[in-house]
Amino acid sequence: MAPSNSPRLRVLKTFKLYIGGAFPRTESGRFLQEHNPKGQLVANFCRASRKDLRNSVVAARKAQAGWAGRTPFNRAQILYRMAEVLESRRESFEHALTERAGIKGAAAQAQVNAAIDRLVWYAGWADKFIQIMGTTNPVASPHFNITSPEPTGVVTAFAPRNAPLLGLITAIAPIIVSGNALVLVVENDHPSIAIDLAEVLHCSDLPGGVVNILTGQRDELIEHAAKHMDIDAIAAFDATDDERRLIAVEAAESVKRTHFFETPAADNWADVSAQSPYHILPFVEFKTAWHPIESSAATSAKY
């Protein structure tokens, strides 16, 4: 085939949603626009609907048991793999933070570094937080009494409005490391970076449905999420007093766990205070098991 003399048309990226390990368009057909600090249009992105949220919850529920059933060591490996893939695409994310979000070069590089390091840090906790947070309880009967944390189930989180990359990692890692599945609702000035991150997750051995990412408007989805009967917990960054009240009231009927993160200042996301094993705790349930200590009458031994 002879080469054409026509100028090549650039293939522009369409930013979709991330649901069940796939990148579907929103069923509503609606979209919003993202602009850079200069006011220039940089992307159209999907405005997720209630139906998209319901589809995400179905995908998360389907994936959660298998994810929780993996060994903590394997979950650690996969979070570490997420860090590896993000490291391999660091230049792309630095460019996105600079060109779309207007973050200066050194600060963009620092944010990518911190995002990678935070994934590695939480990966290290996957097989340790159970030992630290669990316990053997002293009881007055001949039993072993052991309390250990287990994942809550399906969690919906409303992402922070600033820190378009590091804020997302800070929201995702402590929720999924224990075996939960996540529906992350992203409303910030640069949501296209969340879908770039979804491509990293997609290439990181993370089972489809463990993390689902919806871009759109939290006002449209927050009440529906709080009322949804198959969501086990809700977390939110930057929640207003009205949003906290709405979530608390609507979540009560289905006995959802609720947690409101303290949002760091925009330039303080990389600080070590923004990561903690205690950020894992709001998304686990403590279960206690009793086991009898049997005795041998002949030897008077107990085991």
Side-chain angles (χ1 to χ4, degrees):
M1 183 175 177
S4 169
N5 293 325
S6 300
R8 178 180 176 274
L9 291 177
R10 184 183 174 196
V11 178
L12 297 176
K13 185 173 183 178
T14 301
F15 292 91
K16 308 182 184 73
L17 307 176
Y18 185 53
I19 301 175
F23 292 89
R25 291 177 171 81
T26 172
E27 61 81 31
S28 68
R30 302 174 302 172
F31 70 93
L32 298 167
Q33 293 185 325
E34 177 181 329
H35 298 82
N36 63 19
K38 297 178 182 177
Q40 299 166 326
L41 176 65
V42 295
N44 294 322
F45 63 94
C46 290
R47 178 179 171 182
S49 67
R50 293 181 177 186
K51 180 68 162 56
D52 296 319
L53 177 66
R54 290 197 294 272
N55 291 344
S56 298
V57 174
V58 170
R61 179 62 65 191
K62 188 179 297 184
Q64 194 270 323
W67 178 239
R70 299 210 177 199
T71 63
F73 179 67
N74 185 234
R75 288 200 297 273
Q77 289 176 309
I78 292 174
L79 263 70
Y80 190 83
R81 175 67 177 160
M82 290 160 58
E84 287 180 332
V85 178
L86 185 56
E87 179 79 55
S88 70
R89 294 187 54 180
R90 60 175 308 118
E91 291 182 0
S92 172
F93 278 92
E94 289 172 11
H95 178 79
L97 290 169
T98 302
E99 296 299 318
R100 297 184 214 158
I103 298 174
K104 293 183 179 179
Q109 187 178 39
Q111 186 170 156
V112 175
N113 288 342
I116 295 168
D117 292 347
R118 189 150 296 170
L119 279 171
V120 173
W121 193 84
Y122 275 109
W125 278 105
D127 58 356
K128 300 177 183 63
F129 82 94
I130 298 173
Q131 297 166 318
I132 301 299
M133 308 300 179
T135 183
T136 300
N137 306 305
V139 293
S141 60
H143 294 86
F144 293 117
N145 186 278
I146 302 169
T147 298
S148 63
E150 296 188 6
T152 295
V154 174
V155 181
T156 294
F158 292 88
R161 297 182 190 277
N162 57 11
L165 175 62
L166 183 54
L168 302 183
I169 296 297
T170 305
I172 291 171
I175 293 176
I176 68 169
V177 70
S178 64
N180 293 305
L182 172 66
V183 177
L184 183 67
V185 179
V186 178
E187 180 190 358
N188 59 35
D189 292 336
H190 310 290
S192 63
I193 294 174
I195 303 305
D196 288 340
L197 179 62
E199 295 175 357
V200 169
L201 306 184
H202 192 68
C203 300
S204 302
D205 300 329
L206 187 71
V210 173
V211 176
N212 306 273
I213 298 179
L214 303 179
T215 55
Q217 295 180 332
R218 71 159 67 185
D219 286 350
E220 181 180 354
L221 301 175
I222 195 166
E223 182 176 1
H224 188 59
K227 288 181 175 178
H228 199 298
M229 299 301 286
D230 202 29
I231 294 174
D232 301 303
I234 289 187
F237 287 86
D238 303 317
T240 65
D241 290 343
D242 287 344
E243 289 174 339
R244 290 177 184 234
R245 192 177 304 111
L246 171 67
I247 290 173
V249 170
E250 299 296 346
E253 186 167 349
S254 55
V255 201
K256 287 182 180 62
R257 287 172 171 266
T258 61
H259 182 72
F260 302 102
F261 284 101
E262 295 299 325
T263 305
D267 58 352
N268 208 30
W269 277 95
D271 191 86
V272 292
S273 61
Q275 62 188 27
S276 169
Y278 291 100
H279 292 173
I280 302 172
L281 284 187
F283 312 105
V284 299
E285 297 179 355
F286 287 92
K287 296 188 177 179
T288 298
W290 293 72
H291 190 281
I293 300 174
E294 297 184 14
S295 299
S296 170
T299 63
S300 299
K302 296 181 178 180
Y303 60 93

